[in-house]
């Protein structure tokens, strides 16, 4: 096995190794609404749970190539609300498409014909057909790293879920290195 010392390695190599070693990463497919009312949808895999009481989650959002804030981060900061839709295999192609950068006035939901339904406690809608969705209110943002990344901490205020999700995670996808994805189809229960 090889080893690199981060301070002496090159940045690209370190980035590639982080993307390929911290796997599989869950995917938050996030709906937000801009101050002008445009529904935005985009995937984020630097995402996970932080605490359960209260239920807090984080998502780490980088900048666009031109250095500007991504629509998701800007909308969350401006409106204080977002919904994390749980990503599953039937949605994979649409998830990847919504990862393309669109101008703020263009909605991914309309462009890619993605059906939504109203949420309970927040304005951004949930994606119809996902097995679960977490309605979140912004708790705080932290700027970290050289880019810097905007780390959003959200408090979950409502949870939509199917009965099956508490017994099986089959079909849920995760992000791997490069453009690869994992699909959960083999679960082992150890009692
Ligand atoms: C599966 C997947 C995971 C992604 N994860 C992240 C992430 O964790 N952080 C990030 O800044 N961008 C991530 N991206 C890229 C964003 O989705 C992309 O920049 C998108 O255009 C942002 O859209 P927005 O400007 O509408 O917010 C990911 C893309 C894909 C396809």
């Amino acid at each position: 096995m090889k080893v690199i010392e981060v301070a002496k390695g090159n940045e690209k190599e370190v980035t590639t190794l982080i993307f390929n070693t911290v796997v599989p990463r869950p995917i938050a497919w996030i709906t937000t609404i801009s101050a002008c009312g445009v529904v935005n949808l985009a995937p984020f895999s630097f995402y996970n749970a932080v605490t359960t009481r209260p239920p807090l989650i984080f998502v780490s959002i980088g900048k666009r190539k031109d250095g500007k804030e991504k629509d998701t981060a800007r909308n969350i900061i401006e409106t204080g609300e977002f919904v994390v839709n749980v990503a599953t295999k039937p949605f994979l192609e649409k998830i990847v498409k919504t990862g393309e950068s669109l101008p703020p006035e263009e909605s991914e939901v309309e462009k890619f014909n993605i059906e939504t339904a109203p949420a309970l406690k927040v304005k951004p809608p949930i994606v119809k057909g996902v097995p679960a969705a977490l309605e979140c209110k912004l708790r705080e943002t932290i700027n970290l790293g050289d880019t810097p990344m905007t780390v959003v901490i959200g408090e979950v205020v409502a949870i939509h879920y199917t009965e099956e999700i508490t017994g099986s995670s089959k079909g849920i996808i995760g992000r791997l290195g490069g453009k690869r994805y994992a699909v959960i189809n083999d679960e082992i229960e150890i009692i």
Side-chain angles (χ1 to χ4, degrees), residues 26-184:
I27 300 171
W29 199 20
I30 297 185
T31 19
T32 52
I33 298 194
S34 73
C36 313
V38 178
V39 176
N40 194 86
L41 179 60
F44 296 89
S45 70
F46 278 49
Y47 153 70
N48 222 307
V50 183
T51 62
T52 56
R53 285 183 300 162
L56 298 179
I57 56 102
F58 84 86
V59 54
S60 188
I61 306 177
K63 299 283 184 285
R64 286 187 174 212
K65 284 198 181 102
D66 60 9
K68 290 199 181 128
E69 206 74 81
K70 293 187 182 182
D71 294 343
T72 302
R74 201 196 46 256
N75 293 349
I76 292 173
I77 291 165
E78 283 181 7
T79 66
E81 297 185 338
F82 61 104
V83 173
V84 172
N85 298 279
V86 170
T88 53
K89 192 180 171 197
F91 288 103
L92 182 54
E93 277 184 23
K94 288 201 167 164
I95 289 168
V96 173
K97 281 186 182 156
T98 58
E100 291 162 14
S101 196
L102 290 187
E105 63 280 5
E106 222 178 312
S107 171
E108 290 81 2
V109 165
E110 283 170 21
K111 182 165 181 183
F112 302 119
N113 284 319
I114 295 164
E115 273 193 275
T116 61
L120 187 68
K121 306 291 283 183
V122 299
K123 285 207 185 82
I126 67 171
V127 172
K128 262 193 191 170
V130 295
L134 310 175
E135 296 186 20
C136 300
K137 294 216 172 175
L138 175 62
R139 180 79 171 242
E140 65 176 289
T141 57
I142 306 163
N143 291 325
L144 285 177
D146 296 339
T147 325
M149 304 281 283
T150 304
V151 181
V152 169
I153 310 282
E155 177 161 352
V156 181
V157 293
I159 304 174
H160 302 250
Y161 65 101
T162 57
E163 291 292 333
E164 296 77 41
I165 205 164
T166 51
S168 168
S169 306
K170 282 190 181 160
I172 292 176
I173 56 170
R175 182 87 196 251
L176 305 174
K179 295 190 186 304
R180 289 171 291 120
Y181 294 84
V183 182
I184 297 175

Side-chain angles (χ1 to χ4, degrees), residues 16 18-25 174-181:
T16 301
I18 292 295
F19 277 127
N20 283 279
T21 54
V22 184
V23 288
R25 294 183 300 284
R175 182 87 196 251
L176 305 174
K179 295 190 186 304
R180 289 171 291 120
Y181 294 84

